[in-house]
Amino acid sequence: MFPHSLWAWALALVCAYLMGSFSTSITVSKLFYKTDIRKMGSGNAGATNTLRNFGVKKALLVVLGDGLKAALAMVLAKILVGPEAVLYAGCVAVLGHIFPVYYGFKGGKGVMSAAAMILVFDWRIFLFVLAVFLLVAVFTRYVSLASMLAAVAFSVGLLVCYRDHSGYLAAGLCTAAIVVWKHRSNIKRLLHGEESKLGKKK
């Protein structure tokens, strides 16, 4: 038999993945518009694509839903295991958002879920990441570039604040790498000058 703590870890991480797999943007698009957000605009199941296709109110629903599921997964992990599991559960929830089991493993890019995860884990790192995101977004108007650099900033924040926790840094690096990888189509468009800017219609 495995130790009780190992079962608790397994349950916490499995629940985090299943909770993260719930897609607010796909649910909103199907519930209100009888369509799939992944077939519209950029094809991404996230807040930015929802904003461009359905407006501010629906985008805010997506932001709230995607953030809440990561936060709840982390709270559950703290209850089941303890504070040492909180970051890992958050990262797994983000992974679930990106590769959701309910939607053929085709989800969003994990930005909003990751933002909530960082906020719940450490507000200091969240403020640093938010500052990087806002600076890049304001000066370039590229949300995709701001999101990728914010993901990198998360790893930097972990390195500075938790340099003695190699597990935290590994989880942060893996999460950041997956978020950047999910933006690979955006990277190609950025390199070719074809990426859409915030506030500019095609």
Side-chain angles (χ1 to χ4, degrees), residues 2-198:
F2 291 109
H4 173 72
S5 59
L6 186 56
W7 285 110
W9 270 94
L11 180 59
L13 296 182
V14 168
C15 287
Y17 173 74
L18 294 177
M19 293 169 71
S21 289
F22 172 79
S23 174
T24 313
S25 60
I26 295 176
T27 301
V28 166
S29 65
K30 290 186 175 181
L31 183 63
F32 291 99
Y33 302 99
K34 310 301 181 184
T35 186
D36 191 330
I37 188 67
R38 294 172 296 179
K39 298 178 181 178
M40 304 178 68
S42 65
N44 181 56
T48 302
N49 199 29
T50 302
L51 174 64
R52 288 172 175 160
N53 287 281
F54 303 135
V56 176
K57 291 183 179 180
K58 297 303 185 292
L60 288 176
L61 282 178
V62 173
V63 170
L64 180 62
D66 287 350
L68 189 59
K69 66 184 182 184
L72 290 176
M74 297 169 79
V75 171
L76 180 61
K78 185 174 182 179
I79 293 172
L80 292 174
V81 180
E84 65 271 22
V86 168
L87 176 64
Y88 301 111
C91 290
V92 171
V94 174
L95 188 67
H97 177 86
I98 297 173
F99 304 108
V101 66
Y102 312 126
Y103 310 101
F105 302 100
K106 296 179 181 179
K109 295 176 180 177
V111 176
M112 290 303 162
S113 294
M117 177 265 291
I118 298 169
L119 176 59
V120 172
F121 177 66
D122 192 318
W123 63 269
R124 299 169 302 171
I125 298 178
F126 174 78
L127 290 180
F128 171 59
V129 171
L130 180 62
V132 170
F133 177 87
L134 291 176
L135 284 172
V136 177
V138 168
F139 284 104
T140 69
R141 289 195 294 161
Y142 289 124
V143 175
S144 57
L145 181 60
S147 299
M148 288 185 284
L149 292 179
V152 175
F154 174 48
S155 297
V156 174
L158 286 173
L159 180 61
V160 172
C161 297
Y162 298 93
R163 63 188 60 168
D164 296 328
H165 294 72
S166 58
Y168 284 178
L169 182 58
L173 286 171
C174 288
T175 303
I178 292 173
V179 169
V180 172
W181 177 79
K182 282 291 291 184
H183 284 82
R184 60 193 184 281
S185 60
N186 301 90
I187 294 174
K188 291 180 180 179
R189 289 194 293 270
L190 284 167
L191 293 174
H192 290 88
E194 300 171 350
E195 180 72 340
S196 299
K197 288 189 175 183
L198 186 65

